Amino acid sequence: MHKLDKYIGRVVSLKRQVFDKLKNARPDRAYENCFVVAAVDRRLNQLVCYGAGRRINICATEVVFV
């Protein structure tokens, strides 16, 4: 089992600094800091997360379990 597999199906939030960077990139949109990990991109070693109509790929070190 890959160590990132433990994140699949879990609810996570982004660390404050990462979330602020995401918000500042598109200030015209509303954001919620709550995502569900749907898959692991093994090629990039990142988590594929969905939340509030958005899909993001993020490194596991930039999220915290809710």
Side-chain angles (χ1 to χ4, degrees):
M1 176 192 265
H2 195 270
K3 67 180 180 177
L4 292 179
D5 286 341
K6 69 180 180 181
Y7 287 92
I8 295 175
R10 301 286 305 263
V11 177
V12 297
S13 63
L14 302 178
K15 291 184 177 178
R16 175 58 52 191
Q17 187 177 20
V18 177
F19 184 65
D20 289 342
K21 187 176 180 180
L22 177 69
K23 284 191 323 185
N24 291 338
R26 296 286 306 263
D28 58 326
R29 293 187 171 186
Y31 289 92
E32 285 189 37
N33 194 3
C34 187
F35 298 89
V36 175
V37 179
V40 174
D41 186 343
R42 298 197 197 298
R43 187 174 35 106
L44 297 175
N45 205 29
Q46 292 185 336
L47 303 172
V48 179
C49 302
Y50 290 91
R54 289 173 182 53
R55 176 186 180 273
I56 61 169
N57 285 17
I58 196 82
C59 182
T61 60
E62 297 176 337
V63 299
V64 291
F65 288 119
V66 174

